[in-house]
Amino acid sequence: TGPLMKGRRGLIMGVANDHSIAWGIARALAAHGAELAFTYQGESFGRRVKPLAASAGSKLLLPCDVTDPASLDAAFETLEKEWGVLDFVVHAIAHSDKNELKGRYVDTTRENFLRTMDISCFSFTDVARRAAKLMTRGGSMVTLTYGGSTRVMPNYNVMGVAKAALEASVRYLAVDLGRHGIRVNAISAGPMRTLAGSAVGDARFVFKWNKTHAPIKESIELDHVGGAGLYLLSDLSARVSGEVHHVDGGYNIIGLPRAEELKA
Ligand code: NAD
């Protein structure tokens, strides 16, 4: 017994600021005794991540842009040198051109389609391959997705297509890495007020609609996603792999809201 994550070492990718989902998961893990390394994208995010990493007791803060394989190699080389063994990874990274997170999906450009897929989908596989080499005593990986993968959400567009591919890649990775004792899962979070979340057109309407029409009519906060992250990255979820776990107040189960809700 003792703290759930004591003696466990993991990499957190995707903290931009203290509203980031990756930060919500990181602080839950740190509170349970995990030792963390953080990556950041570019120096201006780096300045924000530095005090957060320090407050989580982290000594490893590494620059990494997932579109640059050399920066990924460098980050994992440092992890190998400093730690040798890795137990878990959080991938909370996505990007699409803001101009295409509004309007019609059919108007998506080739350039933004490929870039969105590269950063929001392929990067997880690219990270998983590198991380798996260091997970010599088994491990757990988590990525972040959204219900726009399986159902059409306004303005989510090409990001929904990328999330569908990301969720499929979770299942393929779960099989490839399962034989090494590595579990791979996704958390499908409801709408949250982060930098990335606010880039989607009509974001305020989407937050409000989810809150009004989900079974649990409360906003989704960092601690809620943090709890799910702690579960999926710890032994509490041993034998859970290839799942897409919803933390959305139950919104995904709804077919139609009750008539009273629309009148309210
Ligand atoms: P955020 O803006 O705080 O985090 C997004 C992160 O992606 C940032 O840290 C950014 O630096 C990183 N990133 C983007 N391009 C990168 C690149 N080329 N290299 C390295 N890092 C890069 O927003 P968030 O909402 O915390 O997003 C985290 C994840 O959660 C994303 O995958 C997002 O799609 C997903 N998600 C968000 C919501 C929501 O409503 N906010 C809901 C479900 C899923």
Side-chain angles (χ1 to χ4, degrees):
T1 57
L4 209 46
M5 300 303 289
K6 195 172 158 47
R8 301 286 170 92
R9 287 170 156 170
L11 177 64
I12 309 288
M13 307 181 78
V15 180
N17 54 45
D18 62 352
H19 299 291
S20 294
I21 292 174
W23 175 240
I25 297 174
R27 72 186 185 193
L29 293 163
H32 285 81
E35 189 177 349
L36 304 177
F38 290 82
T39 63
Y40 61 92
Q41 178 200 15
E43 289 310 316
S44 60
F45 282 138
R47 279 190 290 278
R48 297 198 172 177
V49 181
K50 199 173 175 183
L52 295 173
S55 76
S58 172
K59 293 182 192 71
L60 286 172
L61 183 58
L62 313 164
C64 180
D65 187 314
V66 295
T67 61
D68 171 15
S71 81
L72 269 169
D73 285 339
F76 278 93
E77 270 163 32
T78 306
L79 285 179
E80 185 169 17
K81 189 159 64 73
E82 296 291 328
W83 284 352
V85 174
L86 188 66
D87 298 301
F88 62 88
V89 171
V90 174
H91 171 278
I93 289 174
H95 177 80
S96 188
D97 182 346
K98 208 175 166 182
N99 292 320
E100 298 192 10
L101 292 171
K102 60 185 182 200
R104 306 189 311 169
Y105 168 70
V106 72
D107 296 322
T108 306
T109 60
R110 176 188 299 264
E111 192 194 2
N112 185 50
F113 184 100
L114 295 175
R115 191 168 160 75
T116 303
M117 279 294 202
D118 185 23
I119 298 174
S120 316
C121 177
F122 178 68
S123 69
F124 184 52
T125 299
D126 215 14
V127 164
R129 189 183 58 258
R130 290 175 169 87
K133 287 192 190 119
L134 303 184
M135 290 182 166
T136 47
R137 55 188 181 202
S140 179
M141 304 183 186
V142 163
T143 187
L144 269 296
T145 186
Y146 176 59
S149 57
T150 51
R151 293 186 299 161
V152 175
M153 303 294 184
N155 303 309
Y156 205 59
N157 297 347
V158 61
M159 191 60 89
V161 175
K163 292 302 194 193
L166 178 67
E167 290 173 20
S169 70
V170 164
R171 294 184 281 270
Y172 279 89
L173 291 168
V175 170
D176 286 349
L177 304 180
R179 72 191 61 182
H180 305 293
I182 299 167
R183 302 183 293 106
V184 186
N185 294 287
I187 294 172
S188 184
M192 298 178 65
R193 293 169 193 274
T194 64
L195 210 57
S198 306
V200 183
D202 297 322
R204 292 166 63 117
F205 165 76
V206 176
F207 296 138
K208 199 171 162 202
W209 183 276
N210 202 94
K211 202 170 145 177
T212 315
H213 300 299
I216 306 296
K217 301 193 189 313
E218 305 281 349
S219 58
I220 296 145
E221 307 291 344
L222 289 184
D223 284 345
H224 304 128
V225 185
L230 179 63
Y231 163 72
L232 287 172
L233 295 166
S234 71
D235 292 344
L236 291 178
S237 63
R239 308 294 178 274
V240 176
S241 196
E243 284 285 338
V244 177
H245 178 74
H246 290 85
V247 182
D248 64 346
Y251 182 78
N252 71 96
I253 68 166
I254 297 296
L256 261 187
R258 296 181 65 89
E260 304 91 88
E261 281 184 8
L262 292 181
K263 286 180 206 130

